[in-house]
Amino acid sequence: MEESQAGLEQDRIAEAFVSARRAARGLSDYPGNIPESLKSAYSVQDVAIRLQGDSVAGWKVGRIMPPLDAQFGADRLAGPIFVAGVFFEGDGKPVSMAVFQDGFGAVEAEFLLRIGTQLDPAKRYYSLEEAADAIDAVHVGLEIASSPLGAINDLGPAVTASDFGNNNGLVIGAAIPDWQNSGFATWPVTLAIDGAEIGTGRGDSMPDGPVGAARFLFELMARRGIALQKGQWISSGAITGVHRVAPGASVEARFGADYAVRCTIEAATAR
């Protein structure tokens, strides 16, 4: 596909996804030619971010499992989290989060890392220690993975990346004091939907753990020419798996012995 035609195709795909999200309308098929690479998918994502017209509060990082990691040349992908979709859980009361009823909806238990410094946009490589030094807080939380496209997770990582990484919100729970020395990545994490436990895991089950997700994001965004901002969040990856939810569900994730975060699920509405 010639460059000009590819650009027009990327614009059409981005417009279709953003329009469907605004209308809370499902998509029965991918709205164009499926991107052949993550580079092409991120080009669609870049257009969609501009069309969305909301500030980026952070970035979700998702795992690409074998053998697709070898095919796409990466073991993770990233997508934006917008300000309008970020909620803080307070006083132990669950917040309500939206999924696309005629699309895909899921919930993920995650550690959330906050960027504590303005990064050098020219820096392309980070050690784990350098990545950790750029983080000033770690919280427990939930990512809402939802897209108007019901088959988004069945069509490969490039499709996922092209629609905001399949993100539709973030619930930020309590901060972990002295996170650097807490061993939080080794804590057992559980996820329950409507009171039934459906997933368990640990943060260190992912390559280089949650800090590895930050390192990946820092290096990816430097290559993409996107300046990460102090105060933005990193949703570091699904610890207990990706679990489908529908409107009316109640969700609770527990992290170690002392931390929990909760939300309820509602249907997205047009805006």
Side-chain angles (χ1 to χ4, degrees):
M1 188 181 297
E2 294 182 1
E3 186 174 349
S4 60
Q5 291 178 318
L8 290 173
E9 176 74 356
Q10 290 162 359
D11 289 350
R12 285 192 290 266
I13 294 169
E15 289 168 359
F17 272 119
V18 172
S19 295
R21 282 176 173 267
R22 287 176 176 162
R25 170 175 48 84
L27 292 172
S28 58
D29 296 297
Y30 191 78
N33 296 311
I34 289 177
E36 296 180 355
S37 67
L38 287 174
K39 181 179 179 180
S40 299
Y42 288 135
S43 294
V44 175
Q45 187 187 109
D46 289 341
V47 176
I49 290 171
R50 293 194 294 270
L51 293 174
Q52 182 75 3
D54 189 9
S55 297
V56 175
W59 298 86
K60 64 84 56 78
V61 174
R63 183 86 185 272
I64 301 176
M65 301 297 291
L68 293 176
D69 58 342
Q71 177 183 339
F72 284 91
D75 65 359
R76 289 176 164 106
L77 59 82
I81 303 167
F82 294 101
V83 167
V86 175
F87 296 87
F88 288 81
E89 185 189 33
D91 301 325
K93 297 177 182 178
V95 298
S96 187
M97 302 297 291
V99 300
F100 296 99
Q101 192 164 14
D102 295 326
F104 179 91
V107 65
E108 305 171 8
E110 310 212 4
F111 288 111
L112 312 180
L113 286 57
R114 189 176 67 190
I115 300 173
T117 187
Q118 200 64 42
L119 300 174
D120 178 359
K123 183 175 173 61
R124 297 291 187 98
Y125 300 100
Y126 287 79
S127 67
L128 286 174
E129 292 76 14
E130 289 173 325
D133 286 344
I135 302 302
D136 72 349
V138 175
H139 289 236
V140 298
L142 294 166
E143 184 203 344
I144 304 304
S146 190
S147 166
L149 180 64
I152 188 168
N153 272 13
D154 301 324
L155 297 176
V159 166
T160 300
S162 70
D163 184 31
F164 298 152
N166 193 16
N167 176 268
N168 199 49
L170 196 67
V171 183
I172 300 173
I176 301 170
D178 191 24
W179 62 269
Q180 299 94 330
N181 300 306
S182 66
F184 73 92
T186 67
W187 293 354
V189 179
T190 61
L191 184 72
I193 297 177
D194 294 331
E197 184 179 301
I198 59 170
T200 62
R202 294 181 5 166
D204 62 359
S205 65
M206 295 176 285
D208 295 318
V211 173
R215 178 174 67 178
F216 161 81
L217 185 70
F218 297 164
E219 294 179 350
L220 172 67
M221 293 309 179
R223 294 195 301 271
R224 289 176 64 183
I226 295 175
L228 294 170
Q229 303 297 318
K230 180 179 179 179
Q232 287 183 329
W233 294 92
I234 303 168
S235 192
S236 62
I239 301 167
T240 65
V242 180
H243 300 283
R244 296 293 294 264
V245 288
S250 178
V251 178
E252 179 183 60
R254 301 199 66 87
F255 299 78
D258 301 319
Y259 296 87
V261 60
R262 304 169 184 86
C263 75
T264 56
I265 303 297
E266 64 181 13
T269 56
R271 54 184 177 81

